[in-house]
Amino acid sequence: MKSRLYRWADRWAVRVADRMGVTLARAKPLDLRGCDIHPLEAWYRAGRYQPVLMDVPLSKLRGLGSAAFPCTRDSGHPFIETLLEYESGKTRSYAGSALERFYQNWQPKNAAEHLGVGDDPECAKLRELDAIEAVLPWSRNDPALQRANVEGAVTLTSLSESGRTMVARNRWHLLGPATEESGTHEFWRLIDAYRSIKGNGFQRRDVSDGDIRGTVMFDGDDWCVWIGGGGQHRVSVICAQGFAAAPVRVFYHIPTVVRREDSSYWPHVVDGLFTQRAALRVFDRIFEGRAPWRNP
């Protein structure tokens, strides 16, 4: 009885939000873990605004934002390499780790380089933007909002003992350069996640950041999941520990899916930030898991 009441209240809240012009996704995903299911079937099963939790093979996952490393042990993914080094005893600190090499060498100068199209003459507008202003062609965010989101994510606000507000700035963890302090902080975030999952198993929750989150990308019937939301550390740990798949929450925000065939309608193709050809270059590189840089 209680679960039926919750489902009714969930549907009612979404309908009220619709009438107010607000998009409201249901918080609790439809749990399809353990099912051998194509994402399109999962999407149709879920219905409107319903996130889905499904098992995704690690070979289908693309991590570290637009760097789009495949989430596999042999991909050069710096988070995974760092954990494998830690597991073998080769690395015990940020210094000398694969993570340090990543931040030292992956320092895109502008948004075009960040997206892997720095050599494209059609991407002049992207070369005028900072790396943290890089937006994907299908994103609804404009570069200014993307910058604000990144800066908000790396700014930690706290109160000192005297009651004064103190702001501590960290580096964006998807690219370099990194200070020694921020690199060390990121290293221990990764190791802490590793120790927690190894000791307690993978724990998820229904809250917004309670799952690894990704966007499903389609090229015809083929698909992959781009990890653009939370979960970069968690999925790296799952891979390093030898699992074949990870539970991922999909269809949790708009666009719920990205289809290659829709490229002429993507927001930043329509507004001219990308040509359609350049936008497809970005899509294809991410889809194929071709990172624009690899650890030496």
Side-chain angles (χ1 to χ4, degrees):
M1 178 66 182
K2 185 180 289 186
S3 62
R4 289 180 61 187
L5 180 62
Y6 284 156
R7 286 197 299 271
W8 177 85
D10 208 25
R11 290 194 296 269
W12 178 83
V14 171
R15 287 170 184 164
V16 170
D18 276 351
R19 292 174 183 172
M20 297 174 64
V22 176
T23 299
L24 183 65
R26 296 181 176 95
K28 187 173 182 177
L30 175 64
D31 192 345
L32 296 178
R33 285 175 295 175
C35 300
D36 183 12
I37 189 170
H38 190 281
L40 272 179
E41 182 186 346
W43 187 69
Y44 279 109
R45 276 203 205 182
R48 194 177 186 196
Y49 303 145
Q50 175 73 67
V52 166
L53 184 65
M54 61 182 290
D55 293 325
V56 179
L58 294 178
S59 61
K60 289 282 191 183
L61 292 174
R62 307 289 178 259
L64 280 192
S66 65
F69 286 93
C71 295
T72 56
R73 288 181 164 220
D74 60 352
S75 67
H77 190 306
F79 281 21
I80 297 171
E81 285 197 334
T82 298
L83 288 171
L84 293 175
E85 291 174 351
Y86 182 83
E87 209 171 42
S88 68
K90 181 180 177 181
T91 295
R92 281 292 179 264
S93 68
Y94 173 66
S97 67
L99 187 63
E100 183 185 45
R101 296 194 298 277
F102 174 66
Y103 289 140
Q104 286 175 344
N105 291 281
W106 178 230
Q107 300 182 14
K109 300 182 182 66
N110 52 55
E113 284 192 10
H114 191 188
L115 295 172
V117 289
D119 61 343
D120 195 323
E122 296 180 356
C123 295
K125 292 181 180 179
L126 290 169
R127 282 191 287 275
E128 295 173 0
L129 300 174
D130 289 342
I132 63 170
E133 295 176 305
V135 289
L136 293 167
W138 48 87
S139 174
R140 295 190 302 168
N141 291 352
D142 61 30
L145 180 57
Q146 178 66 14
R147 169 184 281 276
N149 287 343
V150 171
E151 291 180 342
V154 300
T155 302
L156 305 176
T157 303
S158 61
L159 292 177
S160 67
E161 292 181 3
S162 63
R164 297 176 58 187
T165 300
M166 301 179 65
V167 177
R169 293 194 58 79
N170 204 346
R171 289 293 307 175
W172 186 228
H173 63 287
L174 301 183
L175 52 86
T179 63
E180 183 69 25
E181 181 183 7
S182 64
T184 298
H185 170 77
E186 196 62 36
F187 176 85
W188 287 112
R189 278 186 70 193
L190 192 57
I191 301 307
D192 286 346
Y194 171 83
R195 290 172 173 172
S196 174
I197 293 173
K198 186 174 183 178
N200 305 308
F202 183 80
Q203 306 291 325
R204 63 159 303 275
R205 296 178 296 158
D206 287 331
V207 298
S208 62
D209 193 37
D211 288 308
I212 299 164
R213 293 173 291 158
T215 299
V216 185
M217 301 171 64
F218 290 103
D219 183 0
D221 194 48
D222 198 6
W223 59 279
C224 74
V225 175
W226 176 71
I227 306 297
Q232 303 288 352
H233 302 83
R234 284 168 281 180
V235 75
S236 299
V237 172
I238 288 172
C239 176
Q241 293 191 357
F243 292 93
V248 181
R249 188 186 304 192
V250 294
F251 315 136
Y252 65 96
H253 71 151
I254 296 176
T256 56
V257 298
V258 177
R259 304 190 306 172
R260 193 180 193 277
E261 64 196 75
D262 296 337
S263 60
S264 62
Y265 302 106
W266 291 341
H268 293 305
V269 173
V270 173
D271 68 17
L273 183 60
F274 292 82
T275 64
Q276 186 177 4
R277 189 190 68 83
L280 286 172
R281 278 192 66 188
V282 174
F283 179 96
D284 290 343
R285 184 185 60 74
I286 292 174
F287 193 89
E288 295 164 13
R290 291 185 279 111
W293 178 86
R294 184 181 175 96
N295 262 346

